[in-house]
């Protein structure tokens, strides 16, 4: 008795298998195949897999024809007399490898043996899996009928996934027969999943390689942008320099202002008797005024004309001369600094009268300038003044260390006493100024 598979139903059946082959690994081209060794073709009663033992392959160059020729070369009496007369023995070492020209003879070691249609021969597991897939995947059953087939749904036996190689029993009982078919089905599904994994891994590898290529291209593009920025900046600098040299009213006034600052070390004053100096001062105030108006219009979203903001090299050239376009709370720092310079030129000193004397003089401009100077001293000592402002004040001979600030005296009465005590609380004021 032996176990066979029905080619149509796919169920395990028991019975005599004499004259029927069950080959799954050799394509029915080995001598232990009963049909092949007996000189017969496999028929519908056989349950073999990937069978080449058919009339279709029994022509010169066919798989069955060549297999007999190779066997006759080693064993001349392996087949009946009729077969030996029909087929000439061939040396297996001069086997023609699929994909080569029919007249070329190459050693068998020169290429892998291939099967039907030039595809590589399938291994035993693959042939077995495809056999199951081509027929019914598994035998249907009910746990009511076969309670011993109820599986443990909570246990994990993943370590046994690759332990099964082939059935131990050729004539299994019905439950084991069903278990064999279920195991074969799951093995086939595992192969499919593994193939999917391999395909995805290959695709991921290709995507990673493509990503690396894109990263490299991005890096090269960034390098190109940096190089373009470098060259663009160089030419922009050249354009700005040449624009400042072009003949126009603005450039003429700027060149005069630059020459005046280099000669006198200060900015021109509107109070000067010199017409050219006064003209430069008026022009500079006009530039500042346009800049401040432009800032206001931009905040309101009503910018209509082009000013110095559209030409940053012009603004930068004026800032190099010590001109700032930022506004202060009352007046610009530069305007007050210019007033302080004029005060020094007029009085020959940066020494101011006391607060009481300034109030009695009723000179509002003097009072405003004194308050501004005191605020600068306070900012300096509280470290709220910018280094540029400190530098500009020191350039005109201003000394922060020679200013004496004192706090007003405040009287307080103790309970039950008429004596007044002096305290140091209050705001800073200037008592004496020594410069």
């Amino acid at each position: 008795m032996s176990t066979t598979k029905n080619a149509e139903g796919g169920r395990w059946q028991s019975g005599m298998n004499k004259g029927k082959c069950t080959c799954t690994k050799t394509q029915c081209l080995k001598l232990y195949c009963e049909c092949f060794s007996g000189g017969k073709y496999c028929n519908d009663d056989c349950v073999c897999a990937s069978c080449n033992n058919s009339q279709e392959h029994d022509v010169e160059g066919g798989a069955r024809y060549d297999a007999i020729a190779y066997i006759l070369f080693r064993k001349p009496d392996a087949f009946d007399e009729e077969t030996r007369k029909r087929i000439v023995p061939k040396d297996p070492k001069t086997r023609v490898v699929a994909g080569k020209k029919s007249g070329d003879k190459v050693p068998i070691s020169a290429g892998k043996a291939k099967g039907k249609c030039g595809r590589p021969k399938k291994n035993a597991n693959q042939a077995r899996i495809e056999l199951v897939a081509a027929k019914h995947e598994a035998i249907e059953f009910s746990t009511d009928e076969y309670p011993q087939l109820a599986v443990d749904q909570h246990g994990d036996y993943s370590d046994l996934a690759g332990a099964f190689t082939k059935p131990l029993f050729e004539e299994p009982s019905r439950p084991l027969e069903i278990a064999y078919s279920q195991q074969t089905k799951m093995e086939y599904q595992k192969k499919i999943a593994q193939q999917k994994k391999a395909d995805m891994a290959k695709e991921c590898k290709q995507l990673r390689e493509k990503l690396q290529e894109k990263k490299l291209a991005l890096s090269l593009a960034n390098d190109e942008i940096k190089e373009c920025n470098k060259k663009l900046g160089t030419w922009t600098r050249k354009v700005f320099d040449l624009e400042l040299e072009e003949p126009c009213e603005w450039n003429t006034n700027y060149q005069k202002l630059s020459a005046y600052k280099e000669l006198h070390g200060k900015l021109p004053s509107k109070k000067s008797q010199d017409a050219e100096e006064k003209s430069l001062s008026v022009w500079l105030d006009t530039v500042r005024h346009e800049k401040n108006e432009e800032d206001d219009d931009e905040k309101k979203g009503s910018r209509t004309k082009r000013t110095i903001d559209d030409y940053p090299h012009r603004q930068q050239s004026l800032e190099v001369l010590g001109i700032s376009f930022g506004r202060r709370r009352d007046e610009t720092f530069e305007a007050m600094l210019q007033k302080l310079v004029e005060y020094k030129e007029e009085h020959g000193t940066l020494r101011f009268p006391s607060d009481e004397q300034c109030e009695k003089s009723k000179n509002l401009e003097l009072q405003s300038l004194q308050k501004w100077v005191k605020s600068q001293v306070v900012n300096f000592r509280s470290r709220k003044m910018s280094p540029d402002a400190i530098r500009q004040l020191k350039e005109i001979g201003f000394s922060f260390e020679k200013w004496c600030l004192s706090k007003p005296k405040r009287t307080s009465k103790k309970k039950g006493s008429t004596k007044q005590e002096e305290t140091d609380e209050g705001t800073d004021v200037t008592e004496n100024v020594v410069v």
Side-chain angles (χ1 to χ4, degrees):
M1 299 291 289
S2 63
T3 303
T4 64
K5 263 189 174 182
N6 186 296
E8 297 178 356
R11 294 179 178 272
W12 295 82
Q13 296 178 351
S14 299
M16 298 297 293
N17 67 340
K18 188 175 182 180
K20 303 177 184 179
C21 73
T22 59
C23 303
T24 60
K25 303 179 181 180
T26 61
Q27 300 176 335
C28 299
L29 297 179
K30 297 295 182 181
L31 289 176
Y32 50 75
C33 175
E34 296 181 12
C35 298
F36 179 72
S37 61
K40 299 182 296 182
Y41 301 130
C42 291
N43 52 49
D44 294 339
D45 294 332
C46 297
V47 289
C48 48
S50 303
C51 179
N52 285 336
N53 184 31
S54 62
Q55 187 175 2
E56 177 186 358
H57 299 88
D58 195 16
V59 295
E60 188 171 358
R64 185 179 190 276
Y65 187 96
D66 289 344
I68 294 175
Y70 301 146
I71 294 174
L72 288 175
F73 183 83
R74 299 191 306 269
K75 298 180 179 180
D77 58 346
F79 296 93
D80 56 27
E81 184 177 355
E82 182 181 353
T83 302
R84 292 196 298 269
K85 290 180 180 181
R86 186 171 62 88
I87 300 177
V88 179
K90 291 183 181 180
D91 185 357
K93 294 184 179 180
T94 60
R95 181 185 307 177
V96 177
V97 179
K100 300 292 182 181
K101 294 181 180 179
S102 58
D104 297 338
K105 300 294 182 179
V106 296
I108 189 172
S109 58
K112 294 182 179 180
K114 297 187 178 181
K116 184 178 178 181
C117 301
R119 292 191 296 268
K121 290 184 178 180
K122 302 171 183 176
N123 57 36
N125 288 337
Q126 187 176 0
R128 181 171 173 230
I129 290 169
E130 291 186 356
L131 177 63
V132 174
K135 301 175 183 180
H136 294 296
E137 291 188 347
I139 301 174
E140 298 180 359
F141 70 96
S142 170
T143 53
D144 294 336
E145 184 180 0
Y146 300 101
Q148 63 269 47
L149 292 178
V151 296
D152 183 5
Q153 300 291 345
H154 303 288
D156 186 2
Y157 305 98
S158 301
D159 55 329
L160 299 177
F164 183 83
T165 56
K166 61 181 180 179
L168 178 61
F169 298 96
E170 295 184 355
E171 300 180 6
S173 61
R174 185 61 177 173
L176 183 56
E177 179 185 357
I178 296 173
Y180 279 156
S181 68
Q182 293 290 338
Q183 194 275 342
T184 303
K185 170 189 172 182
M186 297 312 303
E187 186 177 2
Y188 174 69
Q189 291 182 353
K190 176 185 174 183
K191 291 291 183 181
I192 294 177
Q194 287 176 336
Q195 185 61 43
K196 288 181 180 178
K197 177 183 176 182
D199 293 341
M200 294 303 298
K202 182 178 179 181
E203 186 177 352
C204 289
K205 182 180 178 181
Q206 293 174 348
L207 290 174
R208 283 194 297 268
E209 292 175 353
K210 193 171 183 179
L211 177 61
Q212 292 300 323
E213 292 177 0
K214 295 299 182 182
K215 284 185 177 180
L216 178 60
L218 178 62
S219 177
L220 293 175
N222 286 333
D223 293 340
E224 186 177 359
I225 291 173
K226 288 180 182 179
E227 187 65 23
C228 289
N229 283 337
K230 185 177 179 181
K231 293 181 180 179
L232 177 61
T234 301
W235 278 108
T236 302
R237 180 71 269 168
K238 177 59 67 176
V239 168
F240 283 171
D241 293 341
L242 293 176
E243 281 188 345
L244 291 174
E245 296 175 2
E246 287 289 303
C248 70
E249 181 182 358
W250 198 98
N251 287 346
T252 301
N253 288 330
Y254 167 71
Q255 292 168 4
K256 290 180 180 179
L257 179 64
S258 179
Y260 182 90
K261 178 69 183 293
E262 184 177 358
L263 180 63
H264 298 89
K266 64 175 185 176
L267 296 176
S269 172
K270 289 187 292 185
K271 294 183 178 182
S272 174
Q273 301 298 325
D274 184 65
E276 185 175 358
E277 179 182 354
K278 190 173 183 179
S279 175
L280 286 176
S281 178
V282 172
W283 173 76
L284 186 57
D285 286 346
T286 302
V287 173
R288 286 196 184 109
H289 180 69
E290 289 179 352
K291 172 68 169 61
N292 293 332
E293 279 189 344
E294 176 64 21
D295 291 342
D296 293 339
D297 292 341
E298 189 169 355
K299 290 179 180 179
K300 296 176 182 179
S302 60
R303 181 178 177 184
T304 56
K305 61 181 181 179
R306 305 182 72 180
T307 62
I308 197 170
D309 277 343
D310 298 308
Y311 310 103
H313 55 303
R314 284 186 168 182
Q315 181 173 339
Q316 184 181 12
S317 63
L318 291 175
E319 289 175 348
V320 170
L321 299 178
I323 300 170
S324 174
F325 292 90
R327 288 184 171 181
R328 298 293 185 263
R329 180 174 296 180
D330 298 322
E331 297 184 50
T332 64
F333 178 86
E334 288 74 18
M336 296 303 294
L337 180 64
Q338 185 62 27
K339 289 182 180 181
L340 185 61
V341 172
E342 294 172 358
Y343 178 86
K344 181 179 180 181
E345 291 177 352
E346 182 180 353
H347 298 88
T349 181
L350 291 174
R351 184 171 182 176
F352 281 82
S354 63
D355 293 346
E356 185 179 354
Q357 292 174 339
C358 288
E359 290 177 3
K360 287 182 180 181
S361 68
K362 296 184 179 181
N363 187 335
L364 298 179
E365 186 174 353
L366 176 63
Q367 294 176 13
S368 174
L369 183 60
Q370 187 209 34
K371 289 181 180 179
W372 178 80
V373 170
K374 288 194 297 181
S375 67
Q376 300 307 306
V377 175
V378 172
N379 290 338
F380 172 79
R381 294 184 179 178
S382 59
R383 298 183 179 182
K384 295 180 180 180
M385 181 176 285
S386 67
D388 185 58
I390 296 173
R391 177 186 59 78
Q392 293 185 60
L393 285 170
K394 287 186 176 181
E395 283 180 354
I396 65 173
F398 190 87
S399 176
F400 294 96
E401 289 76 12
K402 293 182 179 181
W403 276 77
C404 301
L405 297 180
S406 63
K407 297 180 180 180
K409 296 179 181 181
R410 181 179 176 182
T411 59
S412 61
K413 294 182 179 181
K414 290 185 178 181
K415 186 177 181 180
S417 174
T418 59
K419 184 179 178 179
Q420 295 182 347
E421 295 183 353
E422 297 180 350
T423 66
D424 292 334
E425 297 179 358
T427 57
D428 291 347
V429 297
T430 305
E431 189 176 59
N432 294 312
V433 180
V434 181
V435 179

